[in-house]
């Protein structure tokens, strides 16, 4: 599968591993993919993000992702739903951090995802243990430096599906960006808060707007 990835898409995957390492995360997650996408220059994804006004707002995105990590990875939609049940996530975060230090829930979140407790476990023809260790075509490319969370693995698969649906011969960083914007969760929510949605990305990348990526 990875032979389909362009140099820009491969650079995003490697960049995501680097971000996971710098943040001391135990697994590569979708948020690390977003940070790596924001690092790109002279690519279709960077063109789309700049066209939609996100080019110079990397710090703002980073702050939003950091705040979500403090909440244990919960999106705003998650916290709103819990609030409707009478659960004040902000108050819980404050109490946990008072007892265990700032970022305590972020550390718990990373450890849970690194264990591979998502949809990939179990029904995989006996490959579960290898996947939990991050092995696979993506791990061979990055050298097994960090396992990929179930969400990050699915993101890579979704990017291929998007490329095939567009009849594109290769998977570029724009397909990774589209897959990220299409998946419910914190990265897509942060992108939307900054004016970048799946629909707006498609307009820029495939026409229908004032600009189109070449």
């Amino acid at each position: 599968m990875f032979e389909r990835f362009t140099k820009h898409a491969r650079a995003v995957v490697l960049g995501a591993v680097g971000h996971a390492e710098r943040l001391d995360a135990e697994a590569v997650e979708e948020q690390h993919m977003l940070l790596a996408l924001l690092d790109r220059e002279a690519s279709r994804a960077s063109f789309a993000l700049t066209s939609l006004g996100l080019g110079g707002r990397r710090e703002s995105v980073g702050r939003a992702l950091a705040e979500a990590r403090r909440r244990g990875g919960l999106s705003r939609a998650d916290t709103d739903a819990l609030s409707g049940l009478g659960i004040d996530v902000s108050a819980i975060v404050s109490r946990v951090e008072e007892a265990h230090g700032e970022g305590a829930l972020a550390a718990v979140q990373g450890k849970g995802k690194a264990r591979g407790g998502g949809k990939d476990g179990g029904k995989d023809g006996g490959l579960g243990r290898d996947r939990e260790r991050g092995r696979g075509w993506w791990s061979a490319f990055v050298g097994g430096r960090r396992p990929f969370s179930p969400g990050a693995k699915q993101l890579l698969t979704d990017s291929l599906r998007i490329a095939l649906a567009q009849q594109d011969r290769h998977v570029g960083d724009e397909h990774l960006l589209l897959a990220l914007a299409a998946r419910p969760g914190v990265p897509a929510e942060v992108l939307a808060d900054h004016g970048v949605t799946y629909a707006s990305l498609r307009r820029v990348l495939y026409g229908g707007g004032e600009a189109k990526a070449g």
Side-chain angles (χ1 to χ4, degrees):
M1 176 177 172
F2 211 67
E3 68 275 5
R4 291 177 176 265
F5 278 50
T6 66
K7 65 177 183 180
H8 290 296
R10 295 182 184 211
V12 169
V13 175
L14 284 175
V17 175
H19 279 290
E21 291 175 341
R22 284 189 289 276
L23 291 168
D24 199 27
E26 294 193 11
V28 180
E29 303 168 10
E30 296 104 309
Q31 61 169 306
H32 305 128
M33 292 286 192
L34 175 53
L35 291 171
L37 281 162
L38 292 171
D39 292 338
R40 302 306 303 151
E41 296 180 356
S43 71
R44 283 173 59 83
S46 65
F47 169 86
L49 291 172
T50 299
S51 297
L52 294 170
L54 194 56
R57 304 178 66 190
R58 189 187 183 290
E59 290 186 2
S60 176
V61 171
R63 287 193 298 269
L65 292 174
E67 184 58 32
R69 287 194 297 274
R70 286 188 63 201
R71 299 193 301 266
L74 292 176
S75 68
R76 191 169 56 252
D78 294 331
T79 59
D80 288 346
L82 290 171
S83 178
L85 297 174
I87 301 172
D88 188 337
V89 173
S90 295
I92 293 173
V93 171
S94 296
R95 287 198 294 271
V96 170
E97 291 188 340
E98 284 177 6
H100 302 285
E102 186 173 340
L105 287 177
V108 172
Q109 175 206 7
K111 290 178 181 178
K113 289 190 176 182
R115 295 191 183 102
K119 296 179 181 178
D120 285 352
K123 301 177 182 179
D124 58 1
L127 297 177
R129 286 189 298 273
D130 284 347
R131 288 182 177 177
E132 287 179 6
R133 297 186 185 101
R135 295 175 185 167
W137 57 266
W138 53 81
S139 184
F141 176 71
V142 302
R145 290 154 56 186
R146 281 289 191 281
F148 281 61
S149 71
K153 296 175 188 177
Q154 188 60 50
L155 176 67
L156 297 174
T157 301
D158 290 348
S159 69
L160 174 60
R161 290 174 178 161
I162 289 173
L164 293 174
Q166 291 297 139
Q167 298 184 340
D168 292 333
R169 294 179 60 187
H170 301 287
V171 179
D173 62 346
E174 73 274 19
H175 301 116
L176 290 168
L177 179 58
L178 282 165
L180 197 61
R183 286 177 59 78
V186 169
E189 187 175 87
V190 170
L191 284 171
D193 287 344
H194 289 78
V196 179
T197 64
Y198 180 80
S200 65
L201 285 169
R202 281 192 57 83
R203 284 197 304 272
V204 171
L205 290 165
Y206 295 105
E210 294 182 359
K212 179 179 177 181

